[in-house]
């Protein structure tokens, strides 16, 4: 069965850093584009970052550009999100997602993790 | 970034009703449009991809249509388990932006 399990969330002060991880299983991780989507409390969904299957191409929302870095280790089937200079407005549940088709960027997310909560507060 | 606008933002309907939610992109996105359902405390679930393709395991009462900049999600006959929040998402360009959501409530 296909699974994504996020970890690394928690409480951090403004200006601090966190690194989220997403462990994948049940599919050939290295063949799929992956993304991070967040949801602030009571709000809608925001795609914050996308990474190609090889890891050679990365994309960011303007709201996190220059502060967040997406990466992946295909040998470990793990996706990461390094979050620096965190702001109160980064408080959200962060979901790891798998893009549906192999090697395709322009598709929906068919598998989602359970999410990990990030709270930025003093 | 491409802006996605859903309407309505909220909708009250009864079991058995046929409902339609619309989504408009700020530019043409061909058919790179996806629909998700989200229930409280749960991750979103993919319902429709590439505007009109039903994701495996999703009931056939869900359907999608449209191309270019205007799209619709239709639920043919509402079931109790369909009351949730629905989001559209464009995957034409990165980042894959979402609409603001439509909250479907029981009348």
């Amino acid at each position: 069965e296909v699974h994504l399990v996020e970890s690394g969330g928690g409480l951090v002060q403004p200006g601090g850093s966190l690194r989220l991880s997403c462990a994948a299983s049940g599919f050939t991780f290295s063949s799929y584009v992956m993304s991070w989507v967040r949801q602030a409390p009571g709000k809608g969904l925001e795609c914050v970052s996308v990474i190609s299957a090889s890891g050679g191409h990365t994309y960011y929302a303007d709201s996190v550009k220059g502060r967040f870095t997406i990466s992946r280790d295909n040998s470990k089937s793990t996706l990461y999100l390094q979050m620096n200079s965190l702001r109160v407005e980064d408080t959200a549940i962060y979901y790891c997602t798998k893009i549906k088709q192999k090697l395709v960027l322009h598709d929906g997310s068919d598998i989602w993790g359970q999410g990990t909560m990030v709270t930025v507060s003093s | 970034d491409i802006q996605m606008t859903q309407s309505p933002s909220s909708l009250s309907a009864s079991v058995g009703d046929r409902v339609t939610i619309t989504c408009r992109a700020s530019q043409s996105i061909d058919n790179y449009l996806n629909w998700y359902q989200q229930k409280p405390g749960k991750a979103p679930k993919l319902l429709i991809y590439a505007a009109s393709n039903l994701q495996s395991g999703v009931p056939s009462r869900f359907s999608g249509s449209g191309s270019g900049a205007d799209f619709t999600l239709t639920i043919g006959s509402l079931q109790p388990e369909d009351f949730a929040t629905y989001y559209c998402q464009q995957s034409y360009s990165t980042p894959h932006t979402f609409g603001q959501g439509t909250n479907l409530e029981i009348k």
Side-chain angles (χ1 to χ4, degrees):
Chain A
E1 192 176 352
V2 177
H3 278 299
L4 297 172
V5 179
E6 301 96 335
S7 60
L11 174 64
V12 62
Q13 292 188 337
S17 298
L18 274 179
R19 187 197 200 200
L20 306 183
S21 299
C22 171
S25 61
F27 66 100
T28 306
F29 181 74
S30 59
S31 294
Y32 291 89
V33 175
M34 301 291 293
S35 77
W36 287 98
V37 174
R38 70 182 180 184
Q39 186 169 38
K43 302 298 184 182
L45 301 168
E46 179 185 18
C47 176
V48 297
S49 190
V50 182
I51 187 167
S52 64
S54 67
H57 298 277
T58 57
Y59 311 89
Y60 299 94
D62 287 343
S63 58
V64 306
K65 202 171 292 183
R67 300 187 299 123
F68 289 12
T69 302
I70 190 172
S71 63
R72 63 192 297 160
D73 185 335
N74 286 344
S75 69
K76 295 182 178 179
S77 296
T78 303
L79 178 71
Y80 302 101
L81 187 67
Q82 177 67 43
M83 304 186 295
N84 298 330
S85 302
L86 282 160
R87 305 168 180 168
V88 170
E89 55 265 34
D90 296 319
T91 295
I93 297 172
Y94 284 74
Y95 295 102
C96 163
T97 90
K98 166 190 166 290
I99 303 302
K100 180 174 168 67
Q101 293 186 70
K102 278 187 180 181
L103 303 176
V104 169
L105 176 63
H106 306 291
D107 206 353
S109 293
D110 64 337
I111 304 296
W112 296 62
Q114 85 288 351
T116 187
M117 184 70 204
V118 172
T119 303
V120 184
S121 175
S122 55
Chain B
D1 295 355
I2 296 174
Q3 307 304 313
M4 306 300 293
T5 304
Q6 285 181 238
S7 61
S9 296
S10 64
L11 175 60
S12 293
S14 301
V15 173
D17 284 353
R18 177 184 177 91
V19 300
T20 297
I21 298 168
T22 65
C23 180
R24 173 165 286 178
S26 59
Q27 66 178 73
S28 175
I29 57 171
D30 292 340
N31 70 333
Y32 295 108
L33 191 284
N34 313 298
W35 290 98
Y36 299 86
Q37 176 193 69
Q38 187 179 33
K39 296 183 178 180
K42 300 294 187 182
K45 172 187 173 183
L46 180 64
L47 299 175
I48 302 285
Y49 63 96
S52 60
N53 294 277
L54 194 66
Q55 174 66 359
S56 175
V58 174
S60 59
R61 62 181 179 273
F62 290 91
S63 63
S65 64
S67 65
D70 293 303
F71 303 86
T72 60
L73 172 71
T74 300
I75 309 174
S77 176
L78 274 174
Q79 298 302 301
E81 61 268 28
D82 299 337
F83 292 95
T85 301
Y86 293 84
Y87 294 93
C88 63
Q89 178 205 36
Q90 64 82 19
S91 49
Y92 177 82
S93 71
T94 52
H96 297 163
T97 46
F98 290 86
Q100 80 279 14
T102 295
N103 184 26
L104 178 55
E105 300 175 321
I106 300 174
K107 184 183 286 184

